[in-house]
Structure formats: structure tokens, C-alpha cells
Amino acid sequence: MDKRYEVYCLADRHFYETPETAAAAATAPDGVLFDTARRPVPDGWESARSGDWLALRPLEKEGKGTGPLQGWKIHVSATADTADKTAADVWDYCVPRGIPFKFVPAPHLLHLRNTKYAARDHSGKFVTVYPRDDGQLRTVLEELHGIVGGRPGPYVLTDLRWHEGPLHVRYGAFVRRFCVDGRGTLVPAIEDGEGRLVPDPREPAFQVPPWVTLPEFLAPHLAARNATTVTDIPYRIEKALHFSNGGGVYRGTDTRDGRRVVLKEGRPHAGLAADGADAITRLEREKDALERLSGLGVAPEVRDWFTLGDHRFLVMDFVEGKPLNSFFGERHPLLAADPDPAATAAYTEWALRIHRAVEEAVTAVHSRGLVFNDLHMFNVMVAPDERSVRLIDFEAAAPAAEHGRQVVAHPGFFAPPGRRGADVDRYALACLRLALFLPLTTLLVIDRAKAAHLAEVIAQQFPVPRAFLDEAVAEILRDDGARDAGHDGDDGDDGVRGNDGVHGDDKGARRSRRGGGTRPPAAADWPASRDSMVRALLASATPHRDDRLFPGDIAQFGDGGGLGLAHGAAGVLYALDEVGAERYEAGERWLLDHTDPPPPGTPLGLYDGLAGVAFVLDRLGHTGRALGLIDTVLSENWQRLTSDLRGGIAGIGLVLDHLAATTGETRLRRQALAAARSLADRMTAESAPAGRRAGLMRGAAGPALLFLRLYERTGASELLTLAGTALRADLDRCVTTRSGSLQVDEGWRTMPYAGDGSVGIGMVLDDFLTLAARDGREPDPGLAAARDGVLAAARSRFYAQPGLFQGRAGMVLHLHRTTAPGVTRDQVTAQARGLDWYAMEYRGELAFPGHQMMRLSMDLATGTAGCLLALGAALGGRPAHLPFLPPLRGVPAPAGS
């Protein structure tokens, strides 16, 4: 799970949303703001909201320039109890002295910055003060310390702490500027000693840029920081297993007896749970729970408890075995295209045995008067004998007598608000019954009624006793009669919360039990599914907003993300056009308005930025704006970007070539050819063309695609040769899995997908083999075998998500488009029908969840627009396709489509 997504589930029960909009009412007179944030703006000052900050700065006076662009800045941390007083004290200090500052204006926003899985580089930052120089820096530190010094607050991991806190300092940018980093990515920037823009590092560790001298008065504080080490503890730390905002988890050895141990760290005032408990409080709960369970053999034994600096450490026995979730990739039969019935039966027997073992372990926990409260597949360790299990991570455990609700849990196992005490664990055990066979229970966060559909799919695929599934569904859908106090109930929404506040929707579960409502059409029911998805897309549009038009992945909330092809408005408009939907003119106007001019820091590339927007606008007839945007791209240092298709030179080169063809501007053709030469030069100079990654979006397949399209335009044979070289570089990073499929090897997992996996490489490989045959080149058996291996990757029975770039929709598109022999219409249709496993409802229409599947998405890369495009290509009568990957021979669409 990518923990970043959970915080984006707070504000809206359907879509990922920025955390600050969780209290859109905060701007209203009765909104939830700190009292300090309600103060009127002082005379001669201006204020502005930016993200989750409220910034105040004195108005510029005539004849005086603006303040510094970068320097040493002060961060002030705070707890919920001290925050408003601290903000008021900083305000009262800074305003009379004309010192700019900003602070987090609402309690819920401060809480989100300090939750367990909040970004560690933002943790603890409540107020930021911008001194004009080193002299004022020292004065402010000394004087503010006299006012707020010693108040509790989280340690700011990026900074150096002043005395005991809550003041911290860091050298960095005061204003938003951007540059291209060493990986070719547009990132926040500062100036180096020669005036060049370089990346502004924000890793969770204090560092001083090499051209900056640490002020002498900060040296004692750096020495104090460095004085705390692990050399004096009787444990040798060997590996970091996990990091969160609350601290790390480490594997180690007790140097006194050689015993293998796990050390779990807790940071004070950080890693907050929904109930406000910090990491140390939760670690104390875990210690108490483990001591209560001692001797049962279902949990680790406690070995030590100590403090280092101001961090607390719990030392436990190392539990042998593997987490339950790791077995899915190793043995699940649906990862094959045609599962062996014997393997399916054996897996079923194993899964039922493991579930019994987990039930017995949970029963043992209950026998000691405890509720586990955080049962999911990552917290179950399966012993090497694969018969016994142990439970780990007891920081959420609580006495059953308290009859409490969950405050921290995996979203796919999180109980509704009415479940309390032991019922919380019973709900998770019911979810585990489904997840062992079909690990899609995160969909229950959106709609618990999906449990019944998942059970039907499992019954079709596995020889599972029906009662085993029916009991799970009954437990999941059981009506508790409880309502979430956070909702007024007018729409029948019982909100549920996952880790630190993940909401869900029980309305669908109640509707299902009542038997009301009309179900959307099946995914393969074209064109009814097309029309339903189009209606869902348009119903989700928010043309009144400036940050995005269509809800999608959390990436759209980055710089310019709401505009682009992958996650923004351009991608949805492109998909609508490809499947022949009626033009959404209001959406086109929105995109035109919001690129006049584009927001500062908007990326430049095909899928992440301005080049892709230019391509779509040209397709829609807005060629003037398209040329203006591409001129903006060309005015930047785009040649230093990565080589790839997503945000790099390959994608920009393709758009330049496209616009040269549609407008006749030869300067753009020259630039496209220059992009190809640059990529060719990089391939010659580098042993690993296009960097370390592989795949269509970030690998060498992107440059290969540019070479192929330019070869078609120019007939230059060397371009075809370069495409083959680039493709072989990506294929060298692939491995053949146990199921016989060829997938990208990322070291810790293999990837079959269209975006970063082997199927995306296979799409370009199909083009290459087609063009090489036309060129009269000898067939390459190795490439033909690779195409077959990719085909196997696209025919698997199960994929974890539905999306175009990281899920089943990409497989539908590839199977329809590929020139590989042996692909049948039935295979394409079967994969299209598989999208129903993830299908959800939005306002009565067909929609699909996005990445991590905790909310719906409408974007091209992860959500409904991508599924629409793939289904349109495979089932519709129009030649729908991804940009620059036009249909090949492919599999004919069904008659009458």
C-alpha cells in the first residue's frame, strides 16, 4: 500500500481530494480554524492561502525590493494543545518587526502533517518564519526561544533543532522556483554559489548545501544533534525494515547473546493516530499488549524497552517466516492465463488452512481480554511450516472491555463505525476470507456492497465452500444501526474511516440489501457501458475549480497535474474524443482558460505536462494555443529532461513531430529530429539507455517509439535500428515468471503493466516488428519470443487494479492491438469482462477506482477514462488508441459494435 493515498481520502467519499478541502467550511464564519487564523490582516500586510498554509507578508514599499529568494528559515513545531498559542505568539512577534511568516491555519491540517504516514519531510512544520539574513536569524531564534522555547512539538526531520525546541532551522527556498534534477525531473530549486538553479533537497535529514557556511551560532546545536548515536546500546542494527512518520522498524542482533531481534522506534508528538495518540503512546500500548499475550505463542515476546535521545524503543523477538501478503505473488493460481485446476484446488486448501490458523490466533488474543484491532495480511506472519501463524504490530490493540472503535487499520480491513471491541476483529476476519482469494477488499472502503460481488467471483474461480463466503458477506454487510457522527445522514451515507481517517460509503450496502437501484451496465456491454462511463465522467466534472476539472489520482494535485494527459483534463478529453463521445465544450474552455498562462512549475512532458496538453488541444482544433504551449516548452531547458515518454525528451519529440505535420512548421520538425539525435547520443554514451527503469512510460521503449514514428516520416533506416537497440535494452530488464510471462524485473517485484511493465514494451515491440518486416529485415527469433512472453503477461486471470497504465485495462488494449499470432476475440472479451471485478457505481453510472482503489478516479492513467479508452479500442467500431500508438492489425471488433 502507498500510504500517501490515505490522507487524500478524508475530504470526499467518492474521489481523492486535497486534505485542506476536508474543511472547505473552514473559510466560512463557523469553520474549524485556529483563532489566530481568524485575525484580520494587519494594516500594511497581505495574506494568501497556498495549500495547507496561510501566509502573511508585509506589502512592498515603493523603492524597496522584495525580500531574499532563499536562506535560513525557521520552522516552529507544535502539538494540538499548543498550536493556537504558538501561532499567536509568532504573529505578535513577527508583525511589529515586518518579518514574513506562514502557519497551518486549522487543527485538522496540523494533525494530518503529523500522522503516522504523513510525508516525513513535512512532519512537524507548523509555522515558517523567513529572516532576511543571518543576523536576523540569530536574533529571531534567541528572542522567539524566550517566548515559545521548551514547548512540546515534533522534531522537524529536515531541520536542525535549536536547544530543546520547538524552533528548528534549515537552509532552503523562500519562493517557488524550479529546475531539472539529475534524473530529468522538474523539482523545487535554489541557487548555488554560482547563481545556477539546483535542486532544493528535502530529504528527512538535516543537511547544509555545499556552498553555504553553517552560521557559527548553530554549531553547538549540530554537535548536540550528532552526539546521540546507537553505539552505546547492546544491539547491532542491521537493516531498516520500515519507516513512517512515527519512527523506524529495524532488524538487529542482541550483541550479548546473538539473538535476532526487531527494534521499533517511537518519536514523541509524531506519528499521530486518529485519536491523537503519538508514536510513543502507541508503542506503550503495543508493549502492554505483548506482555499480556506472553506465552501464548501468537505474538512476539518483549525483550527490552529503552530511551535513546528522546525516542523510545521497543525490542521484540524476531518472528521467523514471511508475511501473508507475500504468498499471493508466489502461489496464487489466477496469476496464470489458464489456471491449472489442481493448483487452484491446492491453493484453496492452503488458504482455508491459513484462515483457520489466523482465526485461532485471534481467538487466543481475545482469551486474554484484548482486541487486535489491526488484522490484515501484512500483519500475519506465516511460519516456515506454513501451518502456524503469528500476529505482529499490536500498537492498535486495546482491552476488549473498553469496547472501542478502530483508530488505525489497513483500508481493506477497516470495520464500519458501528463495530466495536471483538466485532472489529470479526469484521477483519471476514474480509480476510475474501482477500485470500481475491485481494480487492480495499474496494469495500468505497462501497461495502461490493463484498457480495467479490464472493460471486471467488465462487466462480475457486472450489471454496459456499458457506465460507456467505458467512463473510453476511458479517461484512451486517447492519449495526450505527451512524457516523461526522455526517448529517441526509444522503444516507455511513462514513467509515481507515488509517487516520479513510472514509467509505455504506449507502451501496444498504441499497443492495433493500434491492433498490439500477445497476450500471457491464463493462463489456458496449456501447451501453461507453454511454454510462461518459455520463459518469461528465457528472464528476468541476469546471468551477481551478486546480482540476476531473477527479483523478493524487498526482494531479502536484504542479500542473490537473491539466495533463495522464491525470488531468487533457487525458479525459482525449479519451472522450477517441471513443466518439459528444464534445465537452465546457471542458475544452476550462483547459484553454487554465493554460493562459499555465501555472508556474507545470511540467513540460507528454503525459505529465504541457506537451501533452498541446497535443490534445491540437487534436480538438485549438492549434493556436497548442503552438503557444509548445513554444513555452521550447523556451525551457527541455533538452536536460529525462529520455522517457512520460515527462522527457521522447514524448516532447513526438509532439513536436505531430505538430510539424499538422501545421507545416519545419522548425518543429527540426526540433523533433534534434530530440532523436539527443536520445541517440545518450544511448551511445550510456550503458543503460533511458536510465535504470524499463517500460513505456519511463524506460527505453519511449525513445524507441519516437525513433519508429520518425522512421515512418523520414524512411531513415538508422532510426529503425535505433528503435531495436532501445527495445532490446528494455527487454534485457525483463524476466520470465513461473507462469511463463515476460515481465519487467524491478528487483523486489515483477511488473506486467502497460505503463511501467512489459506490456507497454510489447506495444512498441509490435510496431517495431511490423515495420522491420516491411523494411525487409530478417525476423529476430528473440524478439518474437519476447512478444509471446508479453502476450502471456497480458492474459493473466488476475490483476490488482483496473487502470490503463497499471491494471487490466492496459491488457485489454494490448490484446486487441497486438500482432502476435493466436490472440482471439474471446480472449479480448474475457479480459474486458474482467473489468467488472472492479466496477463501481457513481451517480448510477459505471465508474472505476483509481490507484490503490480507495477512491474512484476519472483520469486516463488510473481511472475511468483509461478504461473507457481500452474498451472503446477493443469493443467499439472506432480505431481508439493511445497517442502515437495507432492500431495495427489487431483483433477485429465484435460485429455490430
Side-chain angles (χ1 to χ4, degrees):
M1 294 288 304
D2 186 336
K3 297 297 185 180
R4 296 176 304 157
Y5 281 77
E6 293 173 1
V7 73
Y8 287 87
C9 294
L10 289 168
D12 191 286
R13 66 186 178 91
H14 290 119
F15 303 112
Y16 293 122
E17 186 57 272
T18 52
E20 52 266 26
T21 60
T27 56
D30 59 347
V32 182
L33 289 172
F34 289 121
D35 289 342
T36 307
R38 300 177 185 278
R39 291 183 176 185
V41 179
D43 292 338
W45 284 66
E46 61 182 349
S47 70
R49 280 292 300 267
S50 177
D52 53 2
W53 291 104
L54 174 62
L56 291 99
R57 65 177 54 250
L59 294 170
E60 297 176 21
K61 295 181 180 179
E62 188 174 351
K64 289 191 175 183
T66 59
L69 301 178
Q70 63 191 54
W72 290 98
K73 51 188 173 183
I74 300 169
H75 289 120
V76 191
S77 64
T79 64
D81 293 334
T82 65
D84 205 6
K85 172 61 174 169
T86 296
D89 287 340
V90 172
W91 180 304
D92 293 341
Y93 177 84
C94 288
V95 168
R97 294 164 177 81
I99 304 172
F101 66 99
K102 65 181 180 180
F103 66 101
V104 177
H108 78 282
L109 295 177
L110 175 61
H111 175 86
L112 291 176
R113 281 183 162 260
N114 294 321
T115 55
K116 181 176 181 180
Y117 290 107
R120 297 171 72 221
D121 58 338
H122 291 166
S123 176
K125 297 176 182 178
F126 171 57
V127 182
T128 307
V129 180
Y130 299 97
R132 65 175 174 268
D133 53 32
D134 287 6
Q136 190 175 62
L137 169 71
R138 181 171 189 170
T139 299
V140 173
L141 285 169
E142 291 174 344
E143 293 180 349
L144 259 186
H145 181 72
I147 300 171
V148 304
R151 289 182 189 170
Y155 195 113
V156 179
L157 296 174
T158 60
D159 290 25
L160 178 64
R161 186 166 63 185
W162 178 261
H163 294 294
E164 72 277 17
L167 303 179
H168 303 75
V169 294
R170 169 184 177 268
Y171 190 94
F174 285 12
V175 298
R176 286 162 55 91
R177 293 191 288 176
F178 299 89
C179 71
V180 177
D181 68 7
R183 296 179 295 178
T185 304
L186 203 65
V187 297
I190 53 177
E191 287 184 19
D192 67 9
E194 298 179 3
R196 298 171 302 189
L197 286 178
V198 298
D200 182 8
R202 302 186 180 190
E203 290 80 13
F206 176 67
Q207 53 188 308
V208 182
W211 66 90
V212 174
T213 301
L214 182 77
E216 185 177 348
F217 58 87
L218 294 179
H221 304 278
L222 181 60
R225 175 186 180 276
N226 293 337
T228 301
T229 69
V230 297
T231 57
D232 295 332
I233 63 174
Y235 304 100
R236 182 174 62 251
I237 295 177
E238 296 161 346
K239 182 180 180 180
L241 301 176
H242 174 69
F243 281 110
S244 74
N245 194 25
V249 180
Y250 311 92
R251 187 186 69 199
T253 298
D254 189 326
T255 57
R256 296 165 296 189
D257 58 13
R259 184 191 301 270
R260 298 179 74 192
V261 295
V262 169
L263 298 91
K264 192 168 184 179
E265 176 186 23
R267 296 204 305 125
H269 314 300
L272 304 181
D275 63 352
D278 70 358
I280 289 180
T281 300
R282 295 201 317 276
L283 202 59
E284 290 170 342
R285 292 174 181 171
E286 181 162 16
K287 173 178 174 290
D288 293 343
L290 293 179
E291 289 176 341
R292 195 164 177 173
L293 298 173
S294 180
L296 278 181
V298 299
E301 296 288 339
V302 173
R303 295 297 168 189
D304 201 356
W305 176 251
F306 66 89
T307 300
L308 182 65
D310 55 359
H311 294 198
R312 198 70 56 83
F313 286 83
L314 172 64
V315 184
M316 302 165 280
D317 280 342
F318 181 84
V319 176
E320 299 290 344
K322 294 187 296 186
L324 179 55
N325 68 292
S326 68
F327 285 88
F328 185 86
E330 294 180 3
R331 67 170 65 203
H332 200 281
L334 298 193
L335 297 180
D338 298 302
D340 177 14
T344 302
Y347 179 86
T348 301
E349 181 182 356
W350 175 85
L352 293 173
R353 183 174 72 244
I354 290 296
H355 191 274
R356 283 195 299 272
V358 176
E359 279 188 317
E360 290 167 0
V362 171
T363 300
V365 171
H366 291 176
S367 73
R368 293 285 175 92
L370 285 176
V371 179
F372 187 23
N373 267 336
D374 195 12
L375 176 65
H376 56 82
M377 290 201 289
F378 292 80
N379 281 351
V380 176
M381 294 293 292
V382 179
D385 64 8
E386 295 193 16
R387 291 188 173 276
S388 59
V389 301
R390 285 196 181 187
L391 307 177
I392 60 172
D393 199 358
F394 278 80
E395 65 181 40
E402 293 180 359
H403 204 58
R405 286 177 55 176
Q406 281 179 299
V407 294
V408 174
H410 185 287
F413 294 78
F414 195 81
R419 311 293 171 91
R420 296 175 179 270
D423 277 351
V424 169
D425 289 347
R426 295 187 185 101
Y427 180 89
L429 284 167
C431 291
L432 185 62
R433 291 192 181 201
L434 304 183
L436 278 165
F437 296 95
L438 207 62
L440 302 177
T441 54
T442 306
L443 294 173
L444 305 184
V445 174
I446 305 173
D447 185 354
R448 277 197 291 148
K450 190 68 177 177
H453 183 210
L454 296 181
E456 291 291 339
V457 174
I458 294 167
Q460 293 167 8
Q461 303 292 329
F462 296 90
V464 185
R466 190 62 208 223
F468 181 83
L469 300 173
D470 290 344
E471 290 167 4
V473 173
E475 175 63 30
I476 291 168
L477 297 185
R478 177 161 59 85
D479 192 345
D480 310 298
R483 304 198 59 78
D484 185 349
H487 293 77
D488 60 19
D490 290 345
D491 66 354
D493 171 30
D494 287 347
V496 299
R497 290 181 179 264
N499 281 7
D500 305 319
V502 175
H503 289 273
D505 178 17
D506 287 348
K507 183 169 62 174
R510 294 194 301 277
R511 182 179 59 248
S512 175
R513 291 192 293 276
R514 291 195 304 265
T518 302
R519 296 186 64 84
D525 182 12
W526 193 272
S529 61
R530 175 198 62 193
D531 297 341
S532 187
M533 284 184 280
V534 169
R535 288 192 293 267
L537 288 167
L538 298 183
S540 74
T542 53
H544 59 281
R545 291 179 57 156
D546 289 326
D547 58 338
R548 58 109 162 131
L549 175 60
F550 297 100
D553 190 72
I554 67 172
Q556 69 178 190
F557 298 116
D559 293 312
L563 302 176
L565 194 55
H567 303 297
V572 178
L573 295 175
Y574 175 81
L576 292 171
D577 185 60
E578 282 293 290
V579 301
E582 184 177 346
R583 290 186 68 155
Y584 179 40
E585 295 184 0
E588 294 178 33
R589 286 196 301 272
W590 186 94
L591 191 56
L592 290 167
D593 290 343
H594 289 81
T595 53
D596 184 25
T602 302
L604 308 178
L606 170 59
Y607 278 96
D608 68 350
L610 297 182
V613 177
F615 170 75
V616 172
L617 287 175
D618 178 66
R619 283 280 306 269
L620 297 173
H622 305 291
T623 302
R625 175 59 52 78
L627 289 173
L629 291 178
I630 209 65
D631 283 340
T632 299
V633 173
L634 294 175
S635 70
E636 299 289 339
N637 197 4
W638 63 277
Q639 300 91 341
R640 290 186 55 199
L641 293 172
T642 53
S643 300
D644 63 40
L645 185 70
R646 183 181 184 275
I649 294 174
I652 292 173
L654 285 162
V655 176
L656 290 168
D657 179 62
H658 166 82
L659 289 174
T662 60
T663 66
E665 293 205 18
T666 56
R667 66 183 181 93
L668 300 180
R669 177 63 44 72
R670 289 195 298 270
Q671 292 281 20
L673 292 171
R677 285 194 297 272
S678 174
L679 294 176
D681 291 342
R682 291 187 184 188
M683 289 173 60
T684 302
E686 300 172 0
S687 59
R692 295 172 295 165
R693 302 191 69 164
L696 180 63
M697 288 293 116
R698 295 180 174 89
L705 184 59
L706 174 61
F707 297 143
L708 290 175
R709 299 287 84 95
L710 290 177
Y711 164 73
E712 289 181 306
R713 191 86 68 192
T714 67
S717 183
E718 62 270 20
L719 289 168
L720 188 59
T721 300
L722 284 168
T725 301
L727 282 168
R728 290 181 179 90
D730 261 10
L731 291 171
D732 285 345
R733 297 185 181 86
C734 295
V735 295
T736 301
T737 67
R738 296 176 182 176
S739 66
S741 66
L742 189 72
Q743 300 189 23
V744 170
D745 183 6
E746 294 192 339
W748 61 286
R749 64 180 180 180
T750 60
M751 294 287 280
Y753 298 117
D756 295 318
S758 57
V759 164
I761 301 170
M763 289 182 177
V764 184
L765 178 58
D766 278 330
D767 283 55
F768 173 78
L769 292 174
T770 299
L771 294 174
R774 292 177 189 171
D775 194 55
R777 301 197 178 194
E778 288 292 326
D780 185 327
L783 294 183
R787 180 175 61 177
D788 292 341
V790 171
L791 181 61
R795 293 185 57 235
S796 174
R797 189 72 62 87
F798 175 81
Y799 300 95
Q801 300 184 127
L804 184 61
F805 287 172
Q806 289 184 291
R808 192 185 292 268
M811 310 305 168
V812 174
L813 182 62
H814 179 61
L815 285 177
H816 169 71
R817 182 180 184 274
T818 184
T819 57
V823 181
T824 67
R825 165 52 48 191
D826 287 345
Q827 291 171 357
V828 178
T829 303
Q831 211 57 298
R833 287 175 179 152
L835 282 170
D836 285 331
W837 294 9
Y838 326 85
M840 306 298 288
E841 178 184 336
Y842 177 66
R843 296 191 179 180
E845 306 295 349
L846 177 61
F848 289 92
H851 194 53
Q852 303 295 310
M853 299 203 304
M854 290 186 282
R855 288 292 182 270
L856 302 178
S857 169
M858 297 299 176
D859 70 30
L860 181 72
T862 71
T864 305
C867 294
L868 173 67
L869 179 69
L871 290 168
L875 306 176
R878 295 169 58 91
H881 60 92
L882 279 174
F884 311 110
L885 281 165
L888 299 173
R889 174 184 59 80
V891 178
S897 62

